[in-house]
């Protein structure tokens, strides 16, 4: 075997070894990915059962990536409750579901990443009442961008519309936004009014994913005041 042949064989060996390693890595990633997806589907299925515990529901928050184009049109809410939210600038619309408080004291968030929620706990108001309506949504799910993925691109003056269950529309204009570390946030910041006496604050996740705590490290808040 001449020198050229030995070099060629060595190169082929290295290429083969790399392909084996890469293939093993891809196989492991694919197994992990599909295992995680199966786990998420199971969490969502359990959380949607009538006898699901509050803890099971919280664990499923943001895990359902099912998209239904007719869900807004078919959703009904009580006459004075928020029914849907619309932000034309980012081509966003969603049904708006009532959210309470989780067992750990945090605000509930939707299970589906394409739903919005409105907080019904202490200090909560409905559109048309003095105070702040809190709208909660996901910036992302396990593999897809969520409803509030682009609310951080909103600028002062941009329009947000809430539709109530009785068909009345309430329009708000963005007045500011902030990003706060999860450990430093308090309820007074979520309920802060920035202009007027009727507000709408959008809340979502930001920062980096904390694998240990299974949440993002920051919360993004967009403040708006009622203009119509």
């Amino acid at each position: 075997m001449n020198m050229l042949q030995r070099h060629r064989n060595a190169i082929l060996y290295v290429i083969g070894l790399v392909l084996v390693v890469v293939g093993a890595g891809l196989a492991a990633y694919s197994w992990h990915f599909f295992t995680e997806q199966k786990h998420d589907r199971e969490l969502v299925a359990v959380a949607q059962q009538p006898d699901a515990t509050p803890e099971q529901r919280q664990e499923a928050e943001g895990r359902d990536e099912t998209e239904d184009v007719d869900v807004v049109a078919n959703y009904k809410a009580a006459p004075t409750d928020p029914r849907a939210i619309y932000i034309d600038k980012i081509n966003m619309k969603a049904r708006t579901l009532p959210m309470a408080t989780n067992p750990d004291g945090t605000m509930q968030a939707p299970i589906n990443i394409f739903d919005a929620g409105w907080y019904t706990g202490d200090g909560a108001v409905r559109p048309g009442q003095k105070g702040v309506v809190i709208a909660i949504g996901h910036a992302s799910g396990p593999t897809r961008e969520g409803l509030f993925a682009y609310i951080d691109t909103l600028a002062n003056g941009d329009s947000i519309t809430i539709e109530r269950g009785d068909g009345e529309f309430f329009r708000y204009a963005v007045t500011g936004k902030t990003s706060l570390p999860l450990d430093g946030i308090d309820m007074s910041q979520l309920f802060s009014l920035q202009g007027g006496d009727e507000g709408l604050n959008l809340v979502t996740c930001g920062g980096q994913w904390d694998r240990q705590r299974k949440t993002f490290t920051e919360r993004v808040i967009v403040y708006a005041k009622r203009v119509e």
Side-chain angles (χ1 to χ4, degrees), residues 123-151:
V125 302
R126 291 169 168 80
Q129 297 177 332
K130 292 184 178 180
V132 178
V133 178
I134 304 293
I136 309 149
H138 295 285
S140 70
T143 66
R144 302 182 66 183
E145 291 180 333
L147 181 72
F148 281 1
Y150 297 104
I151 66 167

Side-chain angles (χ1 to χ4, degrees), residues 76-83 127 162-170:
K76 299 183 184 302
T80 60
D81 287 355
R83 190 193 80 85
I162 294 287
E163 179 189 0
R164 277 196 329 198
D166 59 4
E168 186 171 355
F169 290 87
F170 296 77

Side-chain angles (χ1 to χ4, degrees), residues 13-29:
Y13 174 79
V14 171
I15 291 173
L17 186 61
V18 169
L19 290 174
V20 168
V21 172
V22 170
L26 289 174
Y29 174 80

Side-chain angles (χ1 to χ4, degrees), residues 56-116:
Q56 288 170 328
R57 190 215 168 275
Q58 181 177 5
E59 191 175 9
E61 289 181 351
R63 295 295 174 180
D64 185 3
E65 297 182 329
T66 306
E67 193 169 7
D68 183 347
V69 295
D70 297 321
V71 70
V72 176
N74 295 331
Y75 179 63
K76 299 183 184 302
T80 60
D81 287 355
R83 190 193 80 85
I85 183 170
Y86 308 89
I87 307 179
D88 291 341
K89 181 178 180 179
I90 56 176
N91 193 31
M92 192 214 85
K93 67 177 181 179
R95 64 178 178 176
T96 308
L97 308 172
M99 296 287 136
T101 305
N102 285 314
D104 62 2
T106 60
M107 283 185 180
Q108 285 184 338
I111 291 174
N112 187 287
I113 64 170
F114 301 111
D115 284 332

Side-chain angles (χ1 to χ4, degrees), residues 21-37 142-143 211:
V21 172
V22 170
L26 289 174
Y29 174 80
S30 297
W31 179 85
H32 177 74
F33 176 78
F34 287 112
T35 299
E36 285 291 314
Q37 282 197 319
T143 66
R211 295 181 64 87

